[in-house]
């Protein structure tokens, strides 16, 4: 998950290297890690209500939020194990909708319980491909309770089905699971929502999903409802303690669903989706710490920056910390251990600023030496003419005192020197950390004409300003078409031009910030040409050449008679079906553009005819028909190139 856009982790040392030439102590350095936080899902127990976990996972993944750790108790361990084993949320949803009580329940005559649990164990092992927990692509832990001493047990390796069986073994309902010589029962007795387990496994951000039944004044309607509520009453303090340690808490509204009601799986999933969607902003901000100067700025790309000895220490840090992806040093000083020696093993892009009148750390012995030794893929050395050593930083008494005893003196002001630094540092960071190619060219253009600086640089042009490739035309209708292309390298702004093939006049759409474009207002049964180019530097008029011409023809006015329409084998799920006139069209395949949805009765009368916007990946389209009659209906979907139909049964 991308928490933010820019990170520059700074090592600032205003200690003056040249003021005490006899100092021999190695300056302290700080190891800086710049990485995306480790996100964990802590899934609580609640029987069949646990299908809500699937809805939560669906929404999280749709926003690019992928857990690296999953912990689960009881139903949470059941869902969590299948997810951690590598199954997609959509695969899990299909499993949930098909799951029958007979798949899991094996009744037995036993004084310790009425359900053996072997079927549950076998089912889980089948779904995870019989992989042990330690082979899962996502780290996983199932939480259970030791029956002999009442302590928490965390299964992080071994037989997955056996671990889930132990975690789900509700006392007096399931026969206790025996692993080794120890009996285990439901983990909800000691850790209803295993947040602490997730933290112990190294999570930075824990998303807790709480599906527990809150005590209410209503009398439970069944033995299972009573049991569920009783367990949660006993564990309420533990629930509150666990939730207090979570960064984000998601609480699907599933209290009205039965703990063993597998038929309500779809409703539980939808409740999970709704509750997760409401928490997306909170999750995306969970990595931010109020008051921290880097709040909202930490990402997978990072820069270490320092002044004087801090600048030299930046190269020492980069030598030993592979997560650092760039260095920006201000008048870096030689250190002990040697910064120039460390530079020989530093290959990441580096930017060094030096003061032309730096008498404290003369360039030949310090910054220039470090630059020459750099083994960087791209290195730049900017000398600020007339600039000094201390003016890179704000006023510092010791630094200024030392600088006053040497010469030459600065010939520009502190404000001017710092302004020059910002003029080049910011676009350099934008390019290196945010992949903005335009910023690189803007910086180079300015450097070429700036008389206040001199430049040494060994850096290839990062990306040529070339035409986008992979140009495609999709979802053609009689009045519209969807254009798509592959961006060339890191260029991210584009222009599209299009025209009727018989015309000489182009229509230009400028300022596109995605690699797609929807053309509308076209004429039916007409041939069109289009092409696209990258805007590499709009300010200086740097554009790529126009890509090769692409041609498409819009559809006839009556698309129903067009030969292009074919019955497609598209995976479409209607949930629920039968319905009361309200249902979801769930489509797992990648769609981009518009999808026409038409519902007719057996006589061909149209009840619904509308177009929905779709996105790449899983799509869920709600349908609501007012006061429909009971009976069979036909649902027809087409995206301009393919068509598929489904039968819909309405029972009110």
């Amino acid at each position: 998950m991308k928490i933010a856009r820019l990170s520059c982790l700074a090592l600032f040392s205003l200690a003056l290297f040249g003021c005490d030439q006899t100092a021999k102590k190695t300056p302290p350095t700080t190891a800086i890690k710049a990485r995306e936080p480790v996100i964990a899902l802590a899934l609580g127990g609640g029987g069949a209500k646990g299908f809500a976990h699937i809805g939560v996972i669906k929404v999280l993944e749709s926003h690019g939020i992928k857990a690296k750790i999953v912990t689960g108790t009881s139903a949470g361990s059941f869902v969590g194990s299948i997810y951690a084993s590598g199954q997609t949320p959509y695969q899990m949803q299909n499993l949930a909708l098909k799951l029958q009580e007979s798949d899991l329940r094996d009744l037995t005559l036993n004084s310790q319980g009425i359900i053996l649990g072997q079927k549950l164990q076998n089912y889980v092992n089948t779904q995870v491909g019989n992989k042990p927990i330690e082979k899962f692509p996502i780290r996983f832990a199932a939480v259970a309770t030791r029956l002999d001493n009442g302590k928490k047990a965390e299964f992080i390796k071994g037989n997955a089905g056996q671990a889930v069986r132990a975690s789900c073994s509700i006392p007096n309902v399931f026969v206790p699971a025996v692993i080794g010589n120890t009996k285990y029962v439901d983990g909800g007795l000691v850790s209803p929502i295993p947040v602490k387990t997730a933290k112990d496994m190294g999570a930075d951000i824990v998303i807790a999903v709480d599906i527990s039944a809150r005590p209410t004044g209503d009398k439970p309607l069944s033995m299972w409802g009573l049991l569920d509520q009783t367990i949660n009453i006993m564990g309420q303090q533990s629930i509150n303690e666990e939730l207090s340690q979570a960064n984000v808490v998601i609480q699907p509204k599933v209290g009205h669903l039965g703990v063993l009601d597998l038929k309500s799986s779809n409703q539980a999933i939808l409740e999970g989706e709704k509750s997760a969607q409401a928490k997306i902003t909170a999750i995306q901000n969970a990595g931010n710490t109020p008051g921290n100067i880097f709040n909202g700025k930490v990402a997978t790309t990072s820069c270490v920056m320092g002044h004087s000895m801090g600048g030299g220490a930046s190269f020492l840090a980069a030598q030993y910390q592979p997560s650092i992806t760039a260095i920006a040093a201000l008048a870096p000083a030689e250190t002990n251990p040697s910064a120039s020696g460390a530079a020989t093993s530093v290959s990441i892009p580096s930017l060094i600023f030096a003061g032309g009148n730096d008498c404290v750390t003369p360039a030949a012995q310090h910054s220039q030496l470090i630059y020459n030794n750099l083994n960087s893929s791209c290195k730049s050395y900017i000398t600020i003419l007339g600039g000094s050593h201390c003016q890179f930083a704000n006023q510092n008494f010791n630094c200024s005192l030392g600088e006053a005893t040497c010469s030459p003196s600065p010939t520009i002001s502190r404000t001017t020197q710092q302004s020059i630094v910002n003029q080049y540092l910011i676009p350099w960071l934008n390019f290196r950390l945010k992949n903005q190619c335009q910023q690189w060219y803007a910086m180079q253009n300015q450097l070429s004409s700036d008389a206040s600086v001199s430049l040494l640089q060994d850096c290839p042009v990062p990306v040529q300003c070339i035409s986008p490739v992979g140009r495609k035309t999709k979802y053609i209708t009689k009045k519209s078409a969807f254009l798509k292309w592959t961006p060339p390298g890191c260029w991210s702004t584009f222009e599209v031009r299009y025209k009727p093939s018989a015309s000489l006049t182009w229509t230009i759409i400028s300022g596109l910030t995605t690699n797609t474009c929807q053309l509308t207002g076209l004429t039916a049964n007409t041939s069109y040409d289009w092409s696209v180019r990258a805007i590499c530097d709009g300010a200086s008029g740097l554009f790529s050449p126009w890509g090769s011409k692409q041609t498409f023809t819009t559809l006839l006015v009556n698309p129903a008679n067009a030969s292009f329409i074919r019955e497609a084998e598209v995976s479409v799920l209607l949930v629920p079906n039968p319905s009361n006139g309200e249902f979801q069209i769930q489509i797992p395949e990648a769609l981009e553009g518009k999808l026409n949805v038409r519902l007719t009765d057996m006589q061909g009368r149209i009840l619904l005819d509308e177009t929905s916007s779709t996105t790449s990946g899983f799509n869920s389209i709600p349908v609501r028909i007012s006061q429909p009659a009971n009976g069979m209906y036909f649902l027809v979907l087409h995206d301009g190139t393919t068509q598929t139909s489904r039968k819909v049964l309405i029972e009110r």
Side-chain angles (χ1 to χ4, degrees):
M1 172 184 76
K2 194 171 184 179
I3 296 296
R5 308 254 187 326
L6 181 65
S7 158
C8 186
L9 307 181
L11 299 174
F12 284 102
S13 175
L14 298 181
L16 188 63
F17 181 81
C19 292
D20 184 4
Q21 297 291 339
T22 63
K24 299 298 183 183
K25 290 185 178 181
T26 302
T29 61
T30 304
I32 305 293
K33 290 186 176 181
R35 57 171 175 78
E36 287 201 8
V38 175
I39 298 174
L41 278 176
L43 308 179
K49 293 179 289 186
F51 292 122
H53 295 317
I54 298 174
V56 171
I57 294 169
K58 282 173 61 181
V59 171
L60 294 182
E61 287 213 348
S62 73
H63 287 272
I65 302 169
K66 182 80 172 181
K68 296 180 180 179
I69 297 171
V70 177
T71 61
T73 292
S74 196
S77 74
F78 176 83
V79 173
S81 65
I82 297 173
Y83 178 53
S85 74
Q87 290 211 32
T88 67
Y90 186 75
Q91 289 173 319
M92 295 164 62
Q93 178 172 279
N94 279 339
L95 286 177
L97 297 176
K98 297 175 183 177
L99 188 63
Q100 303 292 321
E101 290 184 5
S102 58
D103 296 328
L104 304 177
R105 188 177 298 176
D106 45 3
L107 299 177
T108 183
L109 296 175
N110 192 300
S111 60
Q112 301 181 76
I114 61 174
I115 298 175
L116 183 61
Q118 186 64 48
K119 271 195 169 184
L120 171 63
Q121 177 176 327
N122 294 344
Y123 182 87
V124 171
N125 279 332
T126 298
Q127 299 308 321
V128 304
N130 291 309
K131 292 183 291 193
I133 294 173
E134 63 269 24
K135 297 294 185 180
F136 287 0
I138 299 174
R139 295 170 60 198
F140 173 71
V143 176
T145 304
R146 290 181 59 131
L147 192 59
D148 57 353
N149 58 18
K151 293 184 177 180
K152 179 170 68 173
E154 300 167 333
F155 295 95
I156 60 173
K157 63 179 180 179
N159 188 306
Q162 196 175 53
V164 172
R165 176 183 181 179
S167 183
C168 293
S169 293
I170 302 172
N172 299 318
V173 178
F174 282 77
V175 177
V178 180
I179 303 176
N181 296 318
T182 304
K183 292 182 178 180
Y184 297 89
V185 293
D186 195 294
L189 298 176
V190 290
S191 183
I193 306 165
V195 175
K196 188 177 184 303
T197 298
K199 285 185 169 293
D200 291 343
M201 293 174 69
D204 298 312
I205 297 173
V206 180
I207 303 170
V209 186
D210 176 16
I211 56 171
S212 60
R214 293 292 186 274
T216 66
D218 300 329
K219 183 179 179 180
L221 300 177
S222 67
M223 178 186 74
W224 305 110
L226 177 62
L227 179 65
D228 185 38
Q229 187 122 300
T230 300
I231 291 175
N232 284 303
I233 290 173
M234 293 189 298
Q236 196 61 52
Q237 183 175 352
S238 296
I239 292 173
N240 293 336
E241 289 176 355
E242 294 272 16
L243 294 181
S244 67
Q245 300 181 63
N247 299 86
V248 178
V249 177
I250 298 174
Q251 294 176 309
K253 296 180 180 180
V254 290
H256 61 291
L257 302 180
V259 68
L260 294 179
D261 186 9
L262 298 182
K263 295 181 180 179
S264 65
S265 59
N266 183 67
Q267 190 174 354
I269 292 170
L270 292 176
E271 290 297 335
E273 292 178 7
K274 290 190 290 185
S275 60
Q277 188 62 50
K279 291 287 187 173
I280 289 300
T281 300
I283 296 170
Q284 292 172 334
N285 294 331
N288 299 335
T289 304
N292 190 313
I293 62 172
F294 303 119
N295 181 28
K297 298 181 179 178
V298 178
T300 54
T301 55
S302 63
C303 169
V304 61
M305 187 175 84
H307 173 235
S308 192
M309 278 188 168
S314 299
F315 296 94
L316 296 172
Q319 182 184 21
Y320 298 109
Q321 181 50 260
S323 64
I324 295 171
T325 57
I327 296 173
L330 309 176
E334 182 63 289
T335 57
N336 184 16
S338 173
S340 61
T344 61
S345 59
V346 173
S347 60
I348 58 177
S350 302
L351 173 64
I352 296 175
F353 288 93
N357 289 10
D358 186 346
C359 63
V360 177
T361 56
Q365 292 83 41
H366 298 277
S367 57
Q368 186 70 64
L369 179 62
I370 294 172
Y371 175 81
N372 291 339
N373 285 355
L374 268 172
N375 190 32
S376 173
S377 58
C378 177
K379 58 182 182 179
S380 304
Y381 186 92
I382 299 175
T383 300
I384 301 176
L385 304 180
S388 73
H389 184 84
C390 299
Q391 289 185 167
F392 282 108
N394 292 333
Q395 186 66 41
N396 179 277
F397 177 80
N398 290 327
C399 188
S400 297
L401 181 64
E403 193 166 65
T405 64
C406 63
S407 61
S409 301
T411 59
I412 61 174
S413 68
R414 186 184 304 272
T415 300
T416 298
Q417 184 167 334
Q418 293 184 358
S419 176
I420 294 172
V421 170
N422 289 334
Q423 183 178 3
Y424 297 113
L425 177 61
I426 292 174
W428 188 86
L429 290 173
N430 281 332
F431 170 56
R432 290 300 171 194
L433 303 184
K434 299 171 69 175
N435 208 30
Q436 296 180 353
C437 291
Q438 295 92 333
Q439 294 286 299
W440 169 264
Y441 283 96
M443 174 184 172
Q444 298 304 309
N445 290 338
Q446 181 65 31
L447 281 169
S448 66
S449 60
D450 191 347
S452 66
V453 300
S454 64
L455 174 67
L456 287 175
Q457 189 163 262
D458 183 6
C459 189
V461 177
V463 178
Q464 291 183 337
C465 187
I466 58 177
S467 305
V469 297
R471 298 169 291 274
K472 297 180 180 179
T473 310
K474 307 172 68 176
Y475 315 125
I476 303 168
T477 70
K478 60 181 181 292
K479 294 184 178 181
S480 66
F482 185 79
L483 316 180
K484 185 176 182 180
W485 55 91
T486 301
C490 57
W491 303 112
S492 58
T493 307
F494 308 96
E495 281 188 345
V496 164
R497 64 178 184 178
Y498 71 98
K499 66 178 182 67
S501 299
S503 174
L504 299 177
T505 304
W506 292 95
T507 298
I508 296 179
I509 304 173
S510 192
L512 297 168
T513 56
T514 65
N515 62 322
T516 62
C517 180
Q518 180 80 31
L519 301 182
T520 59
L522 305 180
T523 303
N525 195 28
T526 301
S527 175
Y528 282 87
D529 300 331
W530 72 275
S531 59
V532 59
R533 68 179 180 179
I535 304 175
C536 302
D537 185 5
S540 62
L542 179 61
F543 299 85
S544 77
W546 287 105
S548 60
K549 182 182 66 176
Q550 307 293 304
T551 301
F552 66 90
T553 302
T554 51
L555 304 183
L556 298 173
V557 174
N558 183 9
N561 298 325
S563 61
F564 76 92
I565 293 181
R566 61 183 176 83
E567 185 69 16
E569 292 298 326
V570 180
S571 181
V572 175
L573 185 66
L574 306 182
V575 181
N577 190 19
S579 75
N580 62 359
E582 295 186 27
F583 57 93
Q584 298 274 336
I585 306 172
Q586 298 181 346
I587 309 171
E589 298 181 349
L591 291 171
E592 297 171 330
K594 303 295 184 179
L595 183 71
N596 181 255
V597 180
R598 178 176 293 185
L599 186 71
T600 65
D601 62 15
M602 297 291 288
Q603 287 76 45
R605 291 174 295 194
I606 299 174
L607 282 74
L608 177 72
D609 189 4
E610 60 185 34
T611 299
S612 297
S613 297
T614 57
T615 60
S616 295
F618 182 86
N619 288 271
S620 183
I621 302 172
V623 175
R624 182 176 183 179
I625 307 300
S626 179
Q627 301 295 318
N630 290 343
M632 186 69 70
Y633 294 81
F634 290 100
L635 180 73
V636 179
L637 310 173
H638 74 83
D639 60 11
T641 57
T642 61
Q643 174 175 295
T644 190
S645 60
R646 293 291 186 272
K647 295 178 180 178
V648 180
L649 181 60
I650 293 180
E651 295 179 349
R652 301 177 62 221

